[in-house]
Amino acid sequence: MNNASDSWWRSAVIYQVYIRSFADGDGDGTGDIAGLRSRLPYLADLGVDAVWITPWYPSPLADGGYDVSDYRGIHPAFGTLADAREMIAEAHGLGLRVILDIVPNHTSDRHTWFRQALAAPPGSPGSPGSPGSPGSPGSPARERYIFRDGRGEDGSLPPNDWHAAFGGPAWTRTADGQWYLHLFAPEQPDLNWDNPEVHAEFESILRFWFDLGVDGFRIDVAHGMAKDPALPDLGLPEFSVLTGPGQDDHPHWDRDGVHDIFREWRAVADGYPDRRVFVAEAHVRPGRLAGYLREDELHTAFNFDFLKCPLEAGPLREVIDRSITELAAVGAPATWVLSNHDETRHVTRYGRARTGVQATFRDRRLPTDRALGTRRARAAALLMLALPGGAYLYQGEELGLYEVEDLPEDALQDPVWERSGHTVRGRDGCRVPLPWTGDAPPFGFGPPGTVPWLPQPADFTSLTAEAGRADPASMLRLYRHALLLRRTDPGLRGEEFHWLDSPDGTLLFERGPGLLCAVNLSARPLPLPDARDPLLASGPLDSDGLLPPDTTAWLQRRTA
Ligand code: NOJ
């Protein structure tokens, strides 16, 4: 392994594989395990410590696999369990750890449990033998989910006013008149975590994959599993992924009940002799994340504040300080992330006039300067990879991929597109299959003749992995060099970090002894603290040896 100690996860660089779009081994247009296996050497060579694979389980793919119909299998389009086993062994052989995605807030509506729930009679409130949440209908099969009678004289109104993430109400009515809750698409019914059977099932799922050798899990919607059983109205005009001001007791986000679940999961992970880890996808307000990372809960969490921060010195410094300080209080490392499969790719975000604007779901196409975005993305990558803690890379960012904003409407597959009545295009633009080689689609994504599930733009030619390998000034070469230094330079290995004075609009910090990172986000060139050549810079210094705007450099301070 690249980082063999028990605390590897504290500084790991974890590469997100969105499996449908990574590499297609069999030419059906969808990425798969065979494709991933063929590209594992590329990932080892890139220098990451682990891969996180987005859901690869059997699924109708109503939400790209975040609608799981069988948590112990592999979607036939992705391969078989035997393929998964071999992939895990091969990854380990190359020094890469493997993290899976677990989706515990909801199942697919095709999951056996949900089919049983629909087939079961509604039951009556508080019927004997049911776990009996207040106001719940009582039928044991329905008690695994959140079914309720509707409001209004004939029950034709949803049980409350909650909204679903992808548009519309968070409730769908069944043929017999009851309603079920889904915070996401109707094909993703929410599980009832007040039911001990749900706890037991997920513990067994964790063990299934841990026994197969996986090193950890990314937990989907970790802040959403506990619901207020009274299901009170929210009184909000639309869905929000966060709790709002004054909503300390939000009925479905960030409730204290989630911590009991994570303590149970931690005990399962700690029952294995070698370290197994969790990373939370938890969208919570500042100050709340540390609660998820207490010693007996999860190991790390995505830092969405960093991802959403404008690329400006002041706000970045504030987010970095807050992240490190808040998490240090519970002994957890910070993590850093710039992109994922839900957000507009950062080359595009940073190419916009206001660099923080990036709320994918609501974004209209905004004017973008891609050359500027790419320059800033390079600067941001060196900033991120110099910070203490872990980092998450989203497939393709190392190639400099941008958001594909002009996908034809009939190609769009994100449920957001349909659920918004074709007003919000959704997240497909960051999920376009990767370009590996060649000068025309499928760009080596699959064998010749493959038609990728989302069309690739013609100008991916200059962004293939092959082109990146050949060009010393490419994004790929920058990432490889940065990851190599991160692994080998003692200054970048520990958790030491402190700020040094620098002009407005710039950031300057020191990691281990003498290792400096200078980030120039001002409009003026920045004199570097040392005349010596940088170890690495995101772009060339100017003719006076100054660091130009939108550029980051790593430097070894000269000792006196
Ligand atoms: C977060 C995932 O990242 C996203 O892709 C998915 O749509 C929702 N959770 C629902 O599972």
Side-chain angles (χ1 to χ4, degrees):
M1 304 275 159
N2 285 335
N3 183 352
S5 84
D6 195 40
S7 57
W8 62 273
W9 54 276
R10 294 188 69 91
S11 59
V13 177
I14 301 182
Y15 183 99
Q16 178 185 356
V17 170
Y18 190 72
I19 188 152
R20 301 166 89 188
S21 305
F22 186 68
D24 175 12
D26 63 7
D28 66 356
T30 295
D32 49 32
I33 299 177
L36 171 55
R37 285 172 69 183
S38 74
R39 300 292 180 185
L40 286 174
Y42 165 87
L43 295 175
D45 197 42
L46 179 60
V48 298
D49 300 294
V51 289
W52 146 38
I53 305 167
T54 53
W56 60 2
Y57 315 106
S59 160
L61 303 179
D63 182 21
Y66 285 93
D67 48 321
V68 179
S69 53
D70 172 6
Y71 288 82
R72 295 180 184 80
I74 298 289
H75 194 297
F78 300 147
T80 63
L81 210 47
D83 296 335
R85 221 180 248 117
E86 285 174 27
M87 183 256 134
I88 294 166
E90 280 168 14
H92 285 167
L94 287 166
L96 298 166
R97 289 184 163 88
V98 178
I99 294 185
L100 299 186
D101 214 313
I102 191 158
V103 189
N105 179 67
H106 43 264
T107 68
S108 159
D109 61 348
R110 310 281 177 83
H111 190 284
T112 314
W113 274 8
F114 195 70
R115 288 168 180 263
Q116 289 171 354
L118 287 185
S124 57
S127 34
S130 79
S133 312
S136 70
S139 161
R142 293 200 173 184
E143 272 293 332
R144 294 169 177 148
Y145 293 91
I146 301 175
F147 279 83
R148 290 290 186 278
D149 292 331
R151 292 201 283 206
E153 263 175 35
D154 53 357
S156 64
L157 298 173
N160 68 22
D161 68 352
W162 296 1
H163 305 276
F166 303 144
W171 296 90
T172 289
R173 200 169 194 194
T174 62
D176 57 42
Q178 274 205 322
W179 297 75
Y180 68 89
L181 177 72
H182 52 88
L183 290 180
F184 293 87
E187 295 86 354
Q188 295 167 295
D190 277 48
L191 285 162
N192 171 16
W193 278 91
D194 285 332
N195 184 338
E197 202 185 347
V198 173
H199 289 242
E201 174 65 359
F202 273 84
E203 282 192 36
S204 148
I205 294 164
L206 292 178
R207 286 184 206 285
F208 177 85
W209 291 104
F210 280 152
D211 290 345
L212 227 83
V214 310
D215 301 283
F217 285 94
R218 174 257 189 200
I219 304 170
D220 190 60
V221 199
H223 62 309
M225 294 147 78
K227 317 284 189 306
D228 179 342
L231 303 173
D233 277 340
L234 262 168
L236 296 177
E238 61 179 33
F239 179 87
S240 163
V241 85
L242 284 172
T243 54
Q247 285 179 333
D248 286 335
D249 189 23
H250 192 284
H252 63 71
W253 288 150
D254 193 23
R255 295 182 65 76
D256 287 343
V258 296
H259 300 291
D260 299 333
I261 302 168
F262 298 140
R263 277 187 209 104
E264 292 170 5
W265 288 20
R266 179 64 180 253
V268 172
D270 285 353
Y272 286 79
D274 47 339
R275 176 75 77 167
R276 310 296 169 102
V277 299
F278 295 109
V279 51
E281 186 221 15
H283 296 269
V284 294
R285 278 185 285 162
R288 295 283 302 176
L289 205 55
Y292 289 71
L293 306 182
R294 287 173 285 198
E295 216 182 6
D296 57 349
E297 294 196 36
L298 307 177
H299 299 78
T300 62
F302 295 113
N303 188 344
F304 295 118
D305 291 343
F306 184 70
L307 186 151
K308 288 173 196 288
C309 186
L311 198 69
E312 293 164 17
L316 280 169
R317 184 170 172 149
E318 202 185 306
V319 167
I320 292 167
D321 275 340
R322 189 166 10 96
S323 307
I324 294 175
T325 315
E326 186 194 325
L327 302 188
V330 290
T335 67
W336 315 101
V337 60
L338 295 170
S339 277
N340 64 33
H341 65 294
D342 291 328
E343 307 289 347
T344 304
R345 281 191 180 272
H346 60 273
V347 160
T348 300
R349 282 182 354 240
Y350 295 153
R352 291 178 178 162
R354 278 193 53 226
T355 58
V357 175
Q358 52 75 56
T360 313
F361 280 26
R362 315 261 173 264
D363 262 6
R364 297 272 171 254
R365 284 185 231 174
L366 299 167
T368 305
D369 175 344
R370 199 183 299 155
L372 175 66
T374 302
R375 194 161 72 241
R376 287 177 170 164
R378 295 172 66 93
L382 288 199
L383 163 63
M384 170 172 78
L385 294 173
L387 290 169
Y392 286 85
L393 310 185
Y394 176 47
Q395 65 178 39
E397 76 174 65
E398 81 282 14
L399 302 176
L401 295 195
Y402 55 88
E403 185 81 6
V404 181
E405 296 185 284
D406 57 357
L407 287 168
E409 290 184 352
D410 60 4
L412 297 179
Q413 302 216 9
D414 187 344
V416 170
W417 175 239
E418 285 303 323
R419 303 288 308 160
S420 68
H422 295 184
T423 57
V424 183
R425 292 171 68 86
R427 302 161 292 178
D428 290 320
C430 63
R431 300 174 176 180
V432 173
L434 290 197
W436 291 94
T437 55
D439 53 14
F443 293 110
F445 169 67
T450 301
V451 180
W453 69 279
L454 286 172
Q456 299 160 305
D459 69 358
F460 267 12
T461 309
S462 60
L463 297 174
T464 62
E466 184 183 40
R469 259 194 300 266
D471 175 5
S474 70
M475 189 74 90
L476 181 60
R477 296 276 285 263
L478 181 74
Y479 269 75
R480 276 169 51 174
H481 196 165
L483 292 172
L484 177 69
L485 285 176
R486 211 181 131 101
R487 279 202 314 282
T488 52
D489 193 307
L492 286 164
R493 279 218 294 270
E495 296 188 10
E496 276 173 68
F497 173 86
H498 65 267
W499 295 109
L500 301 174
D501 286 343
S502 69
D504 276 358
T506 70
L507 299 170
L508 180 64
F509 56 86
E510 180 165 10
R511 290 292 316 279
L515 196 291
L516 305 181
C517 176
V519 188
N520 186 4
L521 300 171
S522 77
R524 278 190 298 279
L526 173 72
L528 290 172
D530 194 304
R532 196 187 286 194
D533 281 347
L535 295 173
L536 181 62
S538 65
L541 303 191
D542 70 15
S543 51
D544 298 324
L546 305 179
L547 189 69
D550 299 315
T551 311
T552 297
W554 293 359
L555 310 144
Q556 184 63 51
R557 201 211 292 259
R558 214 188 277 275
T559 43

